[in-house]
Amino acid sequence: MARGINLPTGPSALSRLVAHLKAPPKLSLPHIRSLRLTLAARNDHFGARYFLKEQLPRIRYANPDLEIHVRKMAKRPKDEWRPELQLSFHDGKTQSMNLHAKWSSTIVRELMDTAGSLAWARWKTEAERSGVPIIHGAEHEPPSTDERPMPRFWYDEWRAKHPQKARRLREASYTRRNAKEARGVKGGSKSSKETTVAAGSQTLEQEHEKRRATKKEARRARLDAPRLAEVEAERRVQLELLSKPRTGAAAVLP
């Protein structure tokens, strides 16, 4: 008796993905040469992250020749930089879109209003006439995704104002201060605080030097590994030859 075959009862994951990519409206951007999206890797910029997950694949599908760059950067709560979508046009112009506190559908609508084709304008007119949402999900869009004040800087501006070494020193200072407060130690003279910061900076530099030395030693070991293996193989061959009993003339000769 032939075994029963379990056939799929609904649309497959692939068919759902294709339907999502082909869903109207088509997000054509004929005037754009490249896009660069900058956002937090986690715990912030939720609208931009949903845009990356839901809408950017549709933009890629509709514009196969478009250059798309995504920068997911580490961000702490006190880092004051906002998500950004930078547009580079074919005529050489650039434009930065502020994505702070914006829903995914809002980002798409503003992008298409800025650089969409004539088909986008026709779609908007038809959608408004028929009463359907211009972007799927826009009918559930809240007024704002973030009630905090807008950060002052773009990421590149913030990074220029806060170099990596200075950020590390500040983080070390914050860590020491928090540890001091946790122990219940208060006050201290200004000179002692400066001495503590300087000592912490020196400790960080020493740790970085140790890490660099360790990496250099590991790299040297990897490079020397083939040569050492060859020397070891030659040594084993010599030992094997010496361990064999001599016969004939070799046994007589010294």
Side-chain angles (χ1 to χ4, degrees):
M1 181 177 178
R3 295 182 179 179
I5 301 176
N6 295 325
L7 297 176
T9 58
S12 64
L14 178 60
S15 62
R16 291 195 299 269
L17 174 60
V18 173
H20 172 68
L21 295 176
K22 292 185 176 181
K26 186 177 182 180
L27 305 180
S28 298
L29 299 169
H31 308 295
I32 299 296
R33 178 175 56 84
S34 65
L35 295 177
R36 189 179 71 175
L37 175 64
T38 305
L39 72 165
R42 58 175 60 88
N43 299 332
D44 207 342
H45 303 165
F46 300 104
R49 288 164 59 190
Y50 272 101
F51 169 79
L52 171 63
K53 178 181 178 181
E54 298 174 351
Q55 305 298 342
L56 204 59
R58 296 184 59 208
I59 294 175
R60 162 56 69 206
Y61 181 79
N63 306 272
D65 297 328
L66 180 66
E67 297 179 15
I68 298 178
H69 307 278
V70 177
R71 298 192 300 176
K72 300 175 70 174
M73 314 305 296
K75 182 180 183 298
R76 300 170 302 172
K78 57 179 172 287
D79 294 343
E80 295 186 3
W81 58 273
R82 54 185 181 264
E84 172 191 13
L85 183 62
Q86 188 177 69
L87 315 179
S88 297
F89 294 83
H90 287 293
D91 58 3
K93 296 180 180 179
T94 59
Q95 180 178 343
S96 294
M97 293 177 54
N98 177 22
L99 310 185
H100 175 71
K102 292 181 180 177
W103 198 251
S104 175
S105 55
T106 302
I107 297 172
V108 176
R109 187 166 61 249
E110 292 184 359
L111 172 62
M112 297 304 296
D113 288 342
T114 302
S117 62
L118 294 177
W120 168 254
R122 291 195 296 268
W123 167 261
K124 285 181 61 178
T125 303
E126 180 63 24
E128 292 173 356
R129 186 182 62 82
S130 59
V132 300
I134 298 177
I135 297 293
H136 178 69
E139 65 274 16
H140 307 299
E141 178 181 322
S144 176
T145 60
D146 196 341
E147 299 297 333
R148 295 173 299 176
M150 184 176 67
R152 295 181 295 168
F153 306 110
W154 302 114
Y155 174 75
D156 292 330
E157 295 174 345
W158 177 84
R159 186 176 182 181
K161 290 180 177 293
H162 302 80
Q164 186 176 12
K165 184 176 180 179
R167 293 201 303 270
R168 288 176 177 173
L169 294 179
R170 279 198 307 275
E171 290 174 0
S173 176
Y174 293 147
T175 302
R176 289 191 300 271
R177 185 178 62 186
N178 293 336
K180 187 175 181 180
E181 292 176 354
R183 291 194 303 267
V185 180
K186 297 182 179 180
S189 63
K190 183 177 180 181
S191 59
S192 63
K193 292 181 180 179
E194 292 177 351
T195 304
T196 304
V197 172
S201 303
Q202 186 176 3
T203 303
L204 283 176
E205 289 295 334
Q206 292 175 354
E207 291 179 357
H208 295 330
E209 288 294 335
K210 289 181 180 179
R211 291 175 184 173
R212 283 194 289 266
T214 303
K215 290 181 179 179
K216 186 181 295 184
E217 189 66 26
R219 184 166 58 250
R220 185 182 298 111
R222 289 196 302 270
L223 294 176
D224 291 343
R227 181 180 61 81
L228 295 176
E230 184 177 353
V231 172
E232 179 64 18
E234 292 180 357
R235 187 182 67 83
R236 291 184 179 181
V237 170
Q238 293 295 333
L239 290 176
E240 185 177 356
L241 291 176
L242 292 175
S243 63
K244 290 182 178 180
R246 296 184 176 185
T247 59
V252 178
L253 294 175

